[in-house]
Structures are given as C-alpha cells and as structure tokens.
Amino acid sequence: MLPASDPTTVLIVDDHALVREGIREILETHEDLVVVGEAGDSESAVQLTASIQPHVILLDIEIPGDDVTTTVGRVHQLAPDTKVIILSMYDGPQMLQALLAAGIHAYLLKSVTRQELVSAIRTARSDDGKVLLAVSRESLSQIQAHPAGPLSDREREVLELTARALSNAQIGSQLGLTEATVKRHLRNIYVKLGAVSRIDAVNKAIAASLITAPKPPLA
C-alpha cells in the first residue's frame, strides 16, 4: 500500500449518480485513496482530468458523449500520467481489444468485488507496466487468438529505437514524445504483438518483417 502521505487521487466517471456515490463510499474507507472529482459524461471527464490530473480515472464504458476509446485517447493527450481503469457490464473481446490498444491499465467487469476494485486502483498507480483484466477466459482467448492489428507508423518508430537498446527517455527525446507517451506506445505494441517484454516485442516484429533488425556496430 502507498503511504498515507501520498494518497492516490481518483476521478469517478459514470452517468449514474448512485453508482458514483457507491464507488466513492467504497474508496473513502481507505486512507490511501482520495476521490478528487466526479463526472457523468465524456466531455466533463476530459475537462476534469485535464484540470485535476488524477492518478487514476475510473471510466464507465457507456458514458454519454464521445465513444470510450476516443475519451481514453483525449485523457492520455491531456494527462499522460493518468491511468485509466474501465468499468463495464460487457465482456466482448472486440471492445476490450480496442481499449487495450488505446492504453488502458485495467478492464474490470462491474461484478468485481470492492477488494478487487481497490486492488486494481493501487496496482494501476504503482505498476505502470501491468494491465489487469477481470474478464472471462473466453474473451481472453479470443484476444490472444486475434491480435489487435498492425503497428502504426509511430509504433514502428518506437519499436525500431527500442531495438537499438535506447531507453524510453532517449526514444522520447528523438521522437519529440514524453516518456509516458513512449510507455503507452510500448504497451500498445505488446498487446498487438502478444509480447511480454521489450526483447520479445522486438524479436516478434523482426520475425514478422514489421521492422528491420538493427545493424551491428562497425568493428
């Protein structure tokens, strides 16, 4: 658990006031979690995220306004360090696949327990490289069987520099990106390639001819 002096700030986004109130009551029983705002639609969610810069946003998948993947993208643009946790009634692999590619940190069905919700928030804050999925085995197997699609031009650029053993900070410097944005691109790459590490992603991309192997230095 994070120390009480450094609480995790949370923005709750759901169009049902009763749901927001229930989540707030759950989180307020934990000293290391602080609810800093609530929103009922995508536009309010994005505006609040930009102004508050919460550590974590709990985002309902069906809020009014922009579709959820667009909302996630706007959140990451305006608050690149904010971790997005999706709350959903649905277990469909297509939407889950798109959201993973968009860089979410967790996808939780609303049937999770309060302990699982709290644990997901803490993990999102403390472990940037982990993605939590509370979904059925069937959805997970379909995602693994059908990768999310080809790499974007930017993702290829990031992976080519990764293949040259550059750090996230060095990659960001070369491409004019923040380190958080580089991390998000790498998470998307892992999902699309079914990779578990930087080396695994590079090897799979080279094998699939998505990037070229870096040339060895001259002797």
Side-chain angles (χ1 to χ4, degrees):
M1 181 185 299
L2 293 166
S5 59
D6 185 25
T8 296
T9 55
V10 182
L11 173 63
I12 303 171
V13 183
D14 194 291
D15 60 330
H16 295 95
L18 191 60
V19 173
R20 297 197 304 269
E21 182 179 337
I23 294 175
R24 177 185 282 272
E25 289 180 357
I26 291 171
L27 301 187
E28 286 181 343
T29 63
H30 300 272
E31 292 184 358
D32 62 315
L33 305 178
V34 177
V35 177
V36 292
E38 297 181 17
D41 60 79
S42 62
E43 191 60 38
S44 298
V46 171
Q47 291 177 0
L48 278 174
T49 301
S51 62
I52 297 173
Q53 299 283 314
H55 294 121
V56 175
I57 174 174
L58 298 178
L59 180 61
D60 178 62
I61 201 168
E62 284 195 313
I63 55 170
D66 291 333
D67 67 83
V68 67
T69 52
T70 298
T71 302
V72 171
R74 294 179 66 194
V75 164
H76 283 148
Q77 267 191 324
L78 298 170
D81 292 327
T82 293
K83 311 302 191 302
V84 178
I85 294 177
I86 297 294
L87 299 178
S88 175
M89 294 289 292
Y90 305 105
D91 195 21
Q94 292 79 15
M95 179 59 74
L96 177 53
Q97 207 170 46
L99 288 166
L100 286 171
I104 64 169
H105 277 72
Y107 187 99
L108 307 179
L109 296 179
K110 288 187 175 179
S111 57
V112 296
T113 65
R114 62 176 61 202
Q115 290 84 3
E116 288 170 329
L117 174 62
V118 169
S119 176
I121 293 171
R122 289 172 175 158
T123 300
R125 168 82 190 281
S126 62
D127 190 345
D128 188 57
K130 182 176 289 186
V131 178
L132 298 177
L133 302 177
V135 297
S136 69
R137 290 183 181 274
E138 181 181 359
S139 282
L140 187 59
S141 64
Q142 289 187 46
I143 292 169
Q144 292 170 335
H146 304 285
L151 300 182
S152 68
D153 290 342
R154 179 62 84 188
E155 287 165 350
R156 280 195 294 272
E157 289 176 336
V158 168
L159 197 51
E160 284 171 351
L161 294 176
T162 301
R164 290 163 49 188
L166 272 65
S167 68
N168 290 346
Q170 290 170 325
I171 294 170
S173 177
Q174 287 212 22
L175 298 179
L177 304 173
T178 66
E179 191 169 350
T181 299
V182 173
K183 288 180 180 179
R184 187 168 73 250
H185 282 307
L186 284 171
R187 284 198 302 271
N188 294 347
I189 290 166
Y190 292 170
V191 171
K192 290 182 176 183
L193 298 182
V196 297
S197 69
R198 297 166 75 95
I199 294 175
D200 188 30
V202 168
N203 289 339
K204 287 184 174 180
I206 292 173
S209 299
L210 298 175
I211 63 172
T212 56
K215 296 180 179 179
L218 296 175

